[in-house]
Coordinates of all heavy atoms in Angstrom, one line a residue:
Chain J
Q51 N 4.2 0.6 2.9 CA 2.9 1.2 3.1 C 2.3 1.5 1.8 O 3.0 1.8 0.8 CB 3.1 2.4 4.0 CG 3.5 2.1 5.4 CD 3.7 3.3 6.3 OE1 4.3 4.3 6.0 NE2 3.0 3.3 7.5
P52 N 1.0 1.6 1.7 CA 0.3 1.9 0.4 C 0.8 3.1 -0.2 O 0.9 4.2 0.4 CB -1.2 2.0 0.8 CG -1.3 1.2 2.1 CD 0.0 1.4 2.8
G53 N 1.2 3.0 -1.5 CA 1.6 4.2 -2.2 C 3.0 4.7 -1.8 O 3.4 5.8 -2.3
Q54 N 3.7 4.0 -1.0 CA 5.0 4.4 -0.5 C 6.1 3.4 -0.9 O 5.8 2.3 -1.3 CB 5.0 4.6 1.0 CG 4.0 5.5 1.6 CD 4.2 6.9 1.0 OE1 5.4 7.4 1.0 NE2 3.2 7.6 0.6
S55 N 7.3 3.9 -0.9 CA 8.5 3.0 -1.1 C 8.7 2.0 0.0 O 8.2 2.3 1.1 CB 9.8 3.9 -1.2 OG 9.6 5.0 -2.1
L56 N 9.3 0.9 -0.3 CA 9.7 0.0 0.7 C 10.7 0.8 1.6 O 11.6 1.4 1.1 CB 10.4 -1.2 0.2 CG 9.6 -2.4 -0.1 CD1 8.8 -2.2 -1.4 CD2 10.4 -3.7 -0.2
T57 N 10.5 0.6 2.9 CA 11.4 1.3 3.8 C 12.0 0.3 4.8 O 11.3 -0.5 5.4 CB 10.6 2.4 4.7 OG1 9.9 3.3 3.8 CG2 11.5 3.1 5.6
L58 N 13.4 0.4 4.9 CA 14.1 -0.5 5.8 C 13.8 -0.1 7.2 O 14.0 1.1 7.6 CB 15.6 -0.4 5.5 CG 16.5 -1.3 6.3 CD1 16.2 -2.8 6.1 CD2 18.0 -1.0 6.0
I59 N 13.4 -1.1 8.0 CA 13.2 -0.9 9.5 C 14.5 -1.1 10.2 O 15.0 -0.3 11.0 CB 12.1 -1.8 10.0 CG1 10.8 -1.5 9.4 CG2 12.0 -1.7 11.5 CD1 9.7 -2.5 9.7
A60 N 15.1 -2.3 10.0 CA 16.3 -2.6 10.7 C 17.0 -3.8 10.0 O 16.4 -4.5 9.2 CB 15.9 -3.0 12.1
T61 N 18.3 -3.9 10.4 CA 19.1 -5.1 9.9 C 19.3 -6.0 11.1 O 19.7 -5.5 12.2 CB 20.4 -4.5 9.4 OG1 20.2 -3.7 8.3 CG2 21.3 -5.7 8.9
A62 N 19.1 -7.2 10.9 CA 19.2 -8.2 12.1 C 20.4 -9.1 11.8 O 20.4 -9.9 10.9 CB 17.9 -9.0 12.2
N63 N 21.3 -9.0 12.7 CA 22.5 -9.9 12.6 C 22.5 -10.9 13.7 O 22.1 -10.6 14.9 CB 23.8 -9.0 12.8 CG 23.9 -8.0 11.7 OD1 23.6 -8.3 10.5 ND2 24.4 -6.8 12.0
Q64 N 22.9 -12.1 13.4 CA 22.9 -13.2 14.4 C 23.9 -12.9 15.5 O 25.1 -12.6 15.2 CB 23.1 -14.5 13.8 CG 22.8 -15.7 14.7 CD 24.0 -16.2 15.4 OE1 25.1 -16.0 15.0 NE2 23.8 -16.9 16.6

Side-chain angles (χ1 to χ4, degrees):
Chain J
Q51 294 180 308
Q54 301 299 316
S55 312
L56 269 78
T57 302
L58 181 65
I59 297 171
T61 301
N63 299 323
Q64 193 268 335

